Amino acid sequence: MTRRWLWAVALVAVAAIVVAVIWWPQSDPASSDPAPSDPAQPSTDAAMQVASPDPRTRVLTVQSAALGRQAKVTVLLPPGWAPGSGPWPVLYLLHGCCQSSTSGGWLEDDTTARVTATARALIVIPEGGPTSWYSDWLDGPKWETFHLKELLAILERDFGAGDRRAIAGLSMGGLGAMGYAARNPGMFLAAASYSGVLDSQAQSDAILDITRNYGEDPAKLWGLDPSTSVWDDHNPANLTDRLKGIRLYVSCGDGTPGPLDPDGAGDDSGESFLLSEAKTFVKRAEQSGLDVTTDFYGPGTHTWPYWSRALERSLPMLMEALTA
């Protein structure tokens, strides 16, 4: 009886295994592979490494589907931040063109960290490439998608970012700040430009030449014809009607040597031209009924001391917009 009983138990066990194999849900080998990334969608689970060079600073290395490569982002944490805290306001700082460092100069000295030390907001300094022009290219990298979808999803998920945001940028980053705010209604409460490219079609040749000089095909940016709707959509001076309800700050020098320039500095024709663009933008913004604070401070060149000062001068307005 004992042997028959053992055989019966064995048969029952085998039958159970067979039934389990037949009826267990089968996985599709193709579906087990990661779904292909859609650059137009936020990559909320993007591969990311985080370094902490000091208690306040986090340096992110993000594998971006929108860019097709890794990109760096520096986050300066606000007083009182802790994992799981929030929601925190967010202030993006965008750098200018032709920068070699991933922070674009914002962190070359301690000015940015010092000026924002008491700001109760996440200070986000993303890599913007030397000639990204802060946009999704017709054929190429999608910087706007990276900054405002992929990165924003990471900030919300891992740093407690809320829905109150402001953005500021210098030179090419000024174009980015105003363009991002205009093309993404409801995303930003305030935007600031420091010596910014605010009338891109007025210097289309320069934009195409700079892009070409950095080894890129300028036709892949917005095309070679600056009269098209694509160029219109990336020209802040043409987008003022889309900036209603957003507090704006615009500063620029006149290109002559100023109090923050070294002895012997010469005139800066580039800054002078950018001042004319800034005035065009402000005139159209005022015609659109926008709230614009201007600081056309006269003597001053296209250099960092003036942009650091501009951040310090505009920060109270930016933080008021974020915390009001």
Side-chain angles (χ1 to χ4, degrees), residues 24-248:
W24 192 265
Q26 300 296 304
S27 61
D28 179 355
S31 67
S32 64
D33 294 332
S37 298
D38 178 358
Q41 297 301 319
S43 180
T44 57
D45 56 354
M48 180 177 67
Q49 297 176 337
V50 182
S52 303
D54 61 60
R56 187 188 177 203
T57 306
R58 300 292 182 269
V59 179
L60 318 182
T61 302
V62 181
Q63 184 62 48
S64 168
L67 301 180
R69 67 170 179 84
Q70 289 184 339
K72 299 279 190 180
V73 180
T74 301
V75 180
L76 302 181
L77 302 174
W81 182 92
S85 63
W88 292 98
V90 175
L91 172 59
Y92 280 86
L93 296 180
L94 307 182
H95 64 71
C97 92
C98 320
Q99 297 291 331
S100 57
S101 68
T102 54
S103 65
W106 281 114
L107 301 174
E108 292 303 306
D109 58 29
D110 66 352
T111 303
T112 300
R114 174 182 55 80
V115 167
T116 63
T118 60
R120 295 188 60 78
L122 296 165
I123 309 301
V124 179
I125 306 172
E127 177 183 351
T131 57
S132 71
W133 304 105
Y134 292 102
S135 60
D136 287 355
W137 287 36
L138 291 176
D139 180 10
K142 298 183 181 298
W143 287 97
E144 188 166 343
T145 295
F146 169 60
H147 290 143
L148 303 188
K149 291 186 178 179
E150 290 182 336
L151 175 56
L152 187 56
I154 290 171
L155 296 172
E156 292 171 346
R157 182 191 68 197
D158 296 342
F159 292 91
D163 61 1
R164 301 186 69 81
R165 310 176 196 93
I167 190 166
L170 63 96
S171 194
M172 178 181 75
L175 178 148
M178 295 303 179
Y180 279 4
R183 290 191 298 275
N184 297 274
M187 181 168 283
F188 295 101
L189 297 169
S193 166
Y194 315 136
S195 302
V197 178
L198 297 182
D199 188 1
S200 54
Q201 285 160 305
Q203 58 167 304
S204 57
D205 288 344
I207 289 174
L208 294 173
D209 287 343
I210 291 170
T211 305
R212 184 180 296 107
N213 290 341
Y214 274 80
E216 302 286 355
D217 181 354
K220 295 182 177 181
L221 175 60
W222 306 322
L224 299 179
D225 181 358
S227 68
T228 64
S229 61
V230 179
W231 278 80
D232 286 342
D233 203 41
H234 293 89
N235 184 354
N238 286 341
L239 303 178
T240 55
D241 282 344
R242 302 193 208 175
L243 291 168
K244 293 181 179 179
I246 301 174
R247 296 185 64 177
L248 305 177

